[in-house]
């Protein structure tokens, strides 16, 4: 309460995310990250065949995708990710990681064929 007895007004805050949005994106990032790590492990260490230049490109793309997904996960765990502009940027990082994984898997399939 202020000195004159009126309740103090709080400054309007930026609207936050609806409940469940952050949890959902964190789950999606971890699922995609787990797939990427598993695919890289299987394809690099367990799949038969010799390496060629396409194999190296595919492995590089998948490693870059994993790093991008780790950045997206780190951003999604920050308190600032509750604000919509920061959340949107995190989703952009995540989308970039998904695209990089898809490109890596497509190049890997060409290298393995």
């Amino acid at each position: 309460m202020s000195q004159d007895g009126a309740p103090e007004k709080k400054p309007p805050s930026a609207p936050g995310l609806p409940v469940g949005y952050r949890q959902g994106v964190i789950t999606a990032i971890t699922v995609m990250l787990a797939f990427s790590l598993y695919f890289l492990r299987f394809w690099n260490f367990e799949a038969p065949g010799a390496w060629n230049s396409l194999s190296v490109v595919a492995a590089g793309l998948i490693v870059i995708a994993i790093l991008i997904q780790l950045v997206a996960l780190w951003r999604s765990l920050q308190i600032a990710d509750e604000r919509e502009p920061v959340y949107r940027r995190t989703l952009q990082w995540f989308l970039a990681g998904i695209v990089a994984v898809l490109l890596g898997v497509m190049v890997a399939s060409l290298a393995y064929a």
Side-chain angles (χ1 to χ4, degrees):
M1 292 206 148
S2 64
Q3 293 177 352
D4 62 358
E8 290 183 22
K9 293 183 180 178
K10 293 182 181 178
S13 61
L17 297 173
V19 175
Y21 272 50
R22 281 187 65 202
Q23 293 85 347
V25 80
I26 289 170
T27 301
I29 292 171
T30 54
V31 167
M32 196 67 194
L33 183 60
F35 166 77
S36 303
L37 289 168
Y38 181 76
F39 181 81
L40 185 68
R41 181 188 68 89
F42 170 78
W43 188 69
N44 284 337
F45 300 117
E46 297 177 14
W51 280 68
N52 56 31
S53 58
L54 276 179
S55 302
V56 174
V57 170
L61 280 170
I62 295 171
V63 167
I64 289 170
I66 289 170
L67 293 175
I68 292 171
Q69 290 170 18
L70 286 171
V71 169
L73 181 61
W74 178 78
R75 288 180 58 90
S76 68
L77 293 173
Q78 301 301 310
I79 293 174
D81 202 52
E82 283 286 336
R83 295 190 314 251
E84 188 175 343
V86 179
Y87 178 77
R88 286 185 186 277
R89 184 55 126 179
T90 300
L91 291 180
Q92 291 171 348
W93 276 95
F94 181 44
L95 180 61
I98 291 172
V99 169
V101 166
L102 290 175
L103 288 175
V105 169
M106 288 184 346
V107 172
S109 67
L110 293 175
Y112 193 68

